[in-house]
Each structure stands twice: as structure tokens, then as C-alpha cells.
Amino acid sequence: EFILVLALIIGVLLGELWLSFVIGCAVYVAYHLWQLYKLSRWLVTNEASDAPHSSGLWEQVLDGIYKLRDELTEEEKNVKAAAENMYQALSALTDAVVMIDANGDIQWSNSAATILLGVRFPEVQGESLFNFLDGPKFSKFVKSGNYTDGIEMAGPQNSYL
């Protein structure tokens, strides 16, 4: 904004209003393109460093992005800590716990799953749970999409359970 006003003043003083205005606009656009380049480079490199130095509106934008990025990093740490606590709690259970993705592929299991189901994590990560458990009762349970009540069935390793 200051650049455009300065260009108009110089244009009036020199009698070349349009020429100075065009040059001022070119400088103004170049400044904003430079600021966008610095922002893009900072975001793409994913450095934890401070936001690039700037002034005016760009300073506010960059500071806002830096604060959001910092908050997301802190939130990510909190989520990882909560997940680790959950895994520790689930690992202590004597019941088999197997976490699967939407395709039924194993993502995690506790040690009880090794004993009761033969699911040895992490060796079986990415394998289908159906490789370990099969049968109409289990298939019906998975297809229902309702997992709130769980399922009880004989395990392939210990059929007396």
C-alpha cells in the first residue's frame, strides 16, 4: 500500500503519473510474490523454525500459521501419548485384543491375542484377521458393523476357551 502511494507521489512530482503507477504496481506485486515464495518454502521444508521475518499483513499471516503449526505439533504429541497409554492398558488385558483397519487387516494386537488366537504382532501386521479367525459367527459379527458388544467364540489356539 505504501509502495503505491509513494509511486503516485513520485509520478505527480515527475509528471509521469501512469508510468510511476505501473512501476509501483509491479513492485507491489513482486513484493507479495516474494512473501508467498517465503511462505511456501517455509511450509514445504516443514522446518520447526520460526516463521520467516516479514512485516504488516504478512507478519500477521505468518505468525498465525506458526502458532497453528505449533499447536498442532503439541496436539500431535498429546495424541501419541494417549495412544501409547491406551496400548499399554490394552496390553495388560488377559482378553485378546486385535485392532483391524476397515479392510480387516491387523494393525495391532496384545500378547493375549498371541496365546489365544495365534496372532503374533508385529509379524502379522497387515495380514487379514480372517486368516486367524473364520467361521459364520465371526463373519456375521464383522459384517454387522456393530462391535459394541464384542463377540465370544472358541479361539483357534485354545478351543476350550
Side-chain angles (χ1 to χ4, degrees), residues 14-69:
L14 297 177
E16 296 290 338
L17 184 62
W18 285 107
L19 178 61
S20 65
F21 182 71
V22 168
I23 292 172
C25 285
V27 170
Y28 182 75
V29 168
Y31 169 77
H32 286 289
L33 288 174
W34 175 247
Q35 296 300 320
L36 281 171
Y37 169 75
K38 289 189 332 185
L39 171 61
S40 174
R41 191 178 67 210
W42 177 58
L43 292 174
V44 169
T45 59
N46 203 17
E47 292 179 7
S49 65
D50 290 342
H53 177 70
S54 194
S55 61
L57 179 63
W58 281 104
E59 180 179 28
Q60 293 173 8
V61 169
L62 291 169
D63 285 348
I65 292 172
Y66 179 77
K67 287 176 185 172
L68 286 173
R69 195 177 197 182

Side-chain angles (χ1 to χ4, degrees), residues 10 13 18 20 26-27 43 46-47 53-54 59 71 82 85 87 93 96 106 110 120-122 135 144 153 159:
I10 292 171
L13 292 175
W18 285 107
S20 65
V27 170
L43 292 174
N46 203 17
E47 292 179 7
H53 177 70
S54 194
E59 180 179 28
E71 289 172 9
N85 289 339
Y87 287 135
L93 294 176
I106 298 170
N110 65 357
R120 300 184 195 288
F121 186 81
S144 75
M153 56 186 285
S159 57

